[in-house]
């Protein structure tokens, strides 16, 4: 099941820590954004099967609360899942 929510606050900056909720996260999970305007320069930590934390995500200045972005999550040994998430 894909991720479904991300909490980042205001855009236009590097956010030190971002929580992503979903299901089925395992050790070695990879996260990236489909849109080229959002990049990750940090790490992905699996907190639980339902939560991962990603550090140092660089959001563009035009990103507003309630916008959506497409996130791609790849669990070890499984196909990548792409899902729209809402910025909160």
């Amino acid at each position: 099941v894909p991720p479904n929510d991300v909490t980042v606050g205001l855009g236009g900056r590097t956010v030190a820590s971002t929580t992503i909720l979903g299901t089925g996260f395992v050790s070695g999970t990879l996260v990236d954004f489909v849109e080229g305007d959002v990049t990750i320069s940090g790490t992905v930590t699996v907190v639980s099967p339902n939560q991962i934390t990603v550090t140092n995500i660089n959001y563009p200045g035009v990103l507003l609360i309630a916008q959506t972005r497409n996130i791609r999550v790849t669990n070890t040994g499984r196909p990548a899942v792409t899902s729209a998430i809402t910025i909160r």
Side-chain angles (χ1 to χ4, degrees), residues 9-66:
L10 296 176
R13 61 190 167 130
T14 298
V15 177
S17 182
T18 300
T19 299
I20 299 173
L21 304 175
T23 58
F25 299 129
V26 297
S27 179
T29 295
L30 302 174
V31 177
D32 68 328
F33 285 82
V34 174
E35 292 82 10
D37 64 347
V38 181
T39 58
I40 299 171
S41 59
T43 61
V44 175
T45 302
V46 177
V47 177
S48 74
N50 299 322
Q51 179 180 327
I52 54 180
T53 300
V54 182
T55 61
N56 297 327
I57 298 180
N58 307 304
Y59 291 94
V62 296
L63 185 63
L64 302 173
I65 302 304

Side-chain angles (χ1 to χ4, degrees), residues 1-4 22-25 75 81:
V1 176
N4 54 20
T23 58
F25 299 129
N75 283 322
V81 174

